[in-house]
Amino acid sequence: MRKYLLWALVPLFMACQNTVQDKGQKLSFAMSGDMLFAGSNTLQGAGEINLQNLAENIDVKVDAIKSVKVSAAKVGLSPDHQKFTESVLLQVLSNNVEMASIGTLNPVPESGTLELSLAEDVDLKPYLEDDGMTWVLDINISEDYMDVMPAKGEVQLIIDYIDSK
Protein backbone atom coordinates (compact mmCIF):
# COMPACT_ATOMS: atom_id res chain seq x y z
CA MET A 1 0.00 0.00 0.00
CA ARG A 2 2.84 2.40 0.83
CA LYS A 3 4.40 1.83 -2.59
CA TYR A 4 1.20 2.94 -4.34
CA LEU A 5 0.92 5.97 -2.10
CA LEU A 6 4.48 7.02 -2.99
CA TRP A 7 3.76 6.67 -6.71
CA ALA A 8 0.63 8.75 -6.29
CA LEU A 9 2.70 11.54 -4.72
CA VAL A 10 5.27 11.69 -7.55
CA PRO A 11 3.14 14.02 -9.74
CA LEU A 12 2.65 16.28 -6.72
CA PHE A 13 6.42 16.53 -6.19
CA MET A 14 6.94 17.20 -9.88
CA ALA A 15 4.36 19.99 -9.79
CA CYS A 16 6.20 21.65 -6.90
CA GLN A 17 9.27 22.28 -9.04
CA ASN A 18 9.31 25.83 -10.33
CA THR A 19 9.47 26.36 -14.06
CA VAL A 20 11.34 29.58 -14.74
CA GLN A 21 11.82 31.60 -17.92
CA ASP A 22 15.03 33.31 -18.92
CA LYS A 23 14.48 35.94 -21.61
CA GLY A 24 17.97 37.45 -21.55
CA GLN A 25 19.83 35.10 -23.89
CA LYS A 26 20.57 35.73 -27.56
CA LEU A 27 22.17 33.61 -30.23
CA SER A 28 24.21 35.46 -32.85
CA PHE A 29 25.49 33.77 -35.97
CA ALA A 30 27.02 34.49 -39.36
CA MET A 31 25.93 33.12 -42.73
CA SER A 32 27.29 33.51 -46.24
CA GLY A 33 26.94 32.37 -49.81
CA ASP A 34 28.59 33.12 -53.14
CA MET A 35 27.88 32.76 -56.85
CA LEU A 36 24.33 34.01 -56.34
CA PHE A 37 22.04 34.46 -59.32
CA ALA A 38 18.89 36.54 -59.60
CA GLY A 39 16.08 34.62 -57.93
CA SER A 40 16.18 32.22 -54.99
CA ASN A 41 19.52 31.58 -53.22
CA THR A 42 20.79 30.18 -49.93
CA LEU A 43 23.26 31.52 -47.37
CA GLN A 44 24.41 29.17 -44.58
CA GLY A 45 26.30 29.31 -41.31
CA ALA A 46 27.17 26.87 -38.54
CA GLY A 47 25.54 27.11 -35.11
CA GLU A 48 28.42 27.93 -32.77
CA ILE A 49 26.64 27.28 -29.47
CA ASN A 50 25.11 24.09 -28.08
CA LEU A 51 22.74 23.31 -25.22
CA GLN A 52 25.63 22.82 -22.77
CA ASN A 53 26.92 26.35 -23.49
CA LEU A 54 23.43 27.78 -23.08
CA ALA A 55 22.94 25.96 -19.77
CA GLU A 56 26.24 27.35 -18.50
CA ASN A 57 25.18 30.87 -19.54
CA ILE A 58 22.10 30.70 -17.30
CA ASP A 59 23.81 28.61 -14.58
CA VAL A 60 21.62 25.49 -14.75
CA LYS A 61 22.15 21.83 -15.61
CA VAL A 62 21.42 20.79 -19.19
CA ASP A 63 18.63 18.44 -18.14
CA ALA A 64 16.85 21.32 -16.37
CA ILE A 65 16.20 23.04 -19.72
CA LYS A 66 12.75 22.13 -21.02
CA SER A 67 12.52 24.32 -24.13
CA VAL A 68 14.33 27.05 -26.04
CA LYS A 69 11.91 29.22 -28.03
CA VAL A 70 12.50 32.26 -30.23
CA SER A 71 10.84 35.54 -29.22
CA ALA A 72 12.44 37.72 -31.92
CA ALA A 73 14.69 37.24 -34.94
CA LYS A 74 16.61 39.69 -37.06
CA VAL A 75 19.01 39.59 -39.98
CA GLY A 76 21.62 42.12 -41.02
CA LEU A 77 22.83 42.58 -44.58
CA SER A 78 25.18 45.21 -45.90
CA PRO A 79 23.33 48.25 -47.32
CA ASP A 80 24.59 47.43 -50.83
CA HIS A 81 23.26 43.86 -50.63
CA GLN A 82 20.01 44.83 -48.99
CA LYS A 83 19.11 47.11 -51.92
CA PHE A 84 18.68 44.14 -54.27
CA THR A 85 17.32 41.63 -51.74
CA GLU A 86 13.59 41.12 -52.12
CA SER A 87 12.75 38.62 -49.36
CA VAL A 88 14.40 36.54 -46.62
CA LEU A 89 13.45 33.32 -44.82
CA LEU A 90 15.50 32.21 -41.79
CA GLN A 91 15.52 28.49 -41.02
CA VAL A 92 17.43 26.06 -38.82
CA LEU A 93 18.40 22.41 -39.26
CA SER A 94 20.80 19.86 -37.81
CA ASN A 95 22.09 16.38 -38.63
CA ASN A 96 19.10 14.53 -37.15
CA VAL A 97 16.35 17.17 -36.96
CA GLU A 98 14.38 18.41 -39.95
CA MET A 99 14.51 21.99 -41.16
CA ALA A 100 12.18 24.43 -39.41
CA SER A 101 11.31 28.01 -40.33
CA ILE A 102 12.13 30.70 -37.78
CA GLY A 103 11.00 33.89 -39.49
CA THR A 104 10.46 35.70 -42.74
CA LEU A 105 10.34 39.19 -44.21
CA ASN A 106 8.81 40.15 -47.54
CA PRO A 107 9.36 42.73 -48.92
CA VAL A 108 12.77 43.70 -47.58
CA PRO A 109 13.19 47.44 -46.90
CA GLU A 110 16.09 49.15 -48.65
CA SER A 111 17.82 50.01 -45.36
CA GLY A 112 17.84 49.14 -41.67
CA THR A 113 17.89 45.91 -39.68
CA LEU A 114 15.54 43.22 -40.91
CA GLU A 115 13.10 42.37 -38.11
CA LEU A 116 11.55 39.06 -39.12
CA SER A 117 7.97 37.96 -38.60
CA LEU A 118 8.17 34.72 -36.62
CA ALA A 119 6.93 31.81 -38.68
CA GLU A 120 5.92 29.31 -36.01
CA ASP A 121 6.54 28.24 -32.44
CA VAL A 122 9.85 26.41 -32.92
CA ASP A 123 11.70 24.77 -30.05
CA LEU A 124 15.44 25.09 -30.71
CA LYS A 125 16.36 22.60 -27.96
CA PRO A 126 16.53 19.56 -30.32
CA TYR A 127 18.81 21.52 -32.68
CA LEU A 128 21.06 22.68 -29.83
CA GLU A 129 21.35 19.08 -28.58
CA ASP A 130 22.20 17.67 -32.01
CA ASP A 131 25.40 17.88 -34.05
CA GLY A 132 25.60 19.96 -37.19
CA MET A 133 23.24 22.78 -36.26
CA THR A 134 23.09 25.06 -39.29
CA TRP A 135 21.37 28.38 -39.89
CA VAL A 136 19.94 28.79 -43.39
CA LEU A 137 18.90 32.09 -44.93
CA ASP A 138 16.90 31.73 -48.12
CA ILE A 139 16.95 35.00 -50.03
CA ASN A 140 15.43 36.23 -53.25
CA ILE A 141 17.58 38.75 -55.04
CA SER A 142 16.87 40.87 -58.11
CA GLU A 143 20.35 40.68 -59.67
CA ASP A 144 23.32 38.31 -59.98
CA TYR A 145 26.06 38.61 -57.35
CA MET A 146 29.25 36.58 -57.82
CA ASP A 147 31.22 37.56 -54.70
CA VAL A 148 30.65 36.28 -51.16
CA MET A 149 27.51 37.74 -49.60
CA PRO A 150 27.72 37.74 -45.79
CA ALA A 151 24.77 38.09 -43.44
CA LYS A 152 24.47 38.25 -39.68
CA GLY A 153 21.60 36.81 -37.69
CA GLU A 154 20.39 37.08 -34.13
CA VAL A 155 17.58 35.36 -32.28
CA GLN A 156 16.27 36.42 -28.87
CA LEU A 157 15.47 33.37 -26.74
CA ILE A 158 12.93 32.32 -24.15
CA ILE A 159 14.42 29.45 -22.17
CA ASP A 160 12.05 27.45 -19.96
CA TYR A 161 13.86 25.49 -17.26
CA ILE A 162 13.27 23.85 -13.90
CA ASP A 163 14.68 25.95 -11.08
CA SER A 164 16.48 23.61 -8.67
CA LYS A 165 17.65 26.32 -6.28
Side-chain angles (χ1 to χ4, degrees):
M1 184 69 172
R2 279 185 168 174
K3 185 191 308 186
Y4 296 116
L5 179 60
L6 289 175
W7 281 111
L9 293 175
V10 167
L12 180 63
F13 292 130
M14 297 291 285
C16 290
Q17 293 180 324
N18 290 335
T19 301
V20 180
Q21 282 191 341
D22 181 298
K23 296 181 180 182
Q25 300 300 308
K26 296 178 185 179
L27 291 180
S28 297
F29 45 92
M31 301 162 288
S32 66
D34 61 357
M35 300 284 296
L36 308 175
F37 296 98
S40 182
N41 295 274
T42 300
L43 311 181
Q44 294 184 6
E48 300 292 328
I49 192 166
N50 60 30
L51 197 61
Q52 178 66 41
N53 301 131
L54 207 54
E56 289 171 4
N57 289 350
I58 61 173
D59 196 28
V60 298
K61 294 182 179 181
V62 171
D63 58 355
I65 296 177
K66 299 303 171 195
S67 68
V68 181
K69 304 283 176 90
V70 176
S71 64
K74 58 185 174 181
V75 171
L77 296 170
S78 78
D80 291 339
H81 298 148
Q82 194 163 324
K83 288 178 183 174
F84 60 84
T85 302
E86 299 170 338
S87 66
V88 297
L89 169 63
L90 180 63
Q91 301 176 91
V92 64
L93 64 94
S94 66
N95 290 351
N96 299 299
V97 185
E98 292 183 17
M99 187 178 288
S101 295
I102 302 297
T104 188
L105 182 62
N106 184 13
V108 169
E110 283 194 29
S111 63
T113 302
L114 307 180
E115 303 281 340
L116 306 184
S117 297
L118 297 181
E120 54 189 74
D121 194 27
V122 176
D123 187 357
L124 294 180
K125 182 180 176 190
Y127 300 95
L128 292 163
E129 291 174 315
D130 195 19
D131 291 328
M133 182 176 173
T134 303
W135 295 98
V136 176
L137 186 67
D138 288 331
I139 61 171
N140 283 315
I141 57 176
S142 60
E143 60 187 61
D144 294 348
Y145 189 77
M146 295 299 113
D147 291 330
V148 173
M149 181 187 285
K152 293 181 181 178
E154 181 180 275
V155 291
Q156 181 74 39
L157 303 177
I158 300 172
I159 304 170
D160 288 323
Y161 64 95
I162 302 297
D163 186 12
S164 60
K165 297 175 184 175

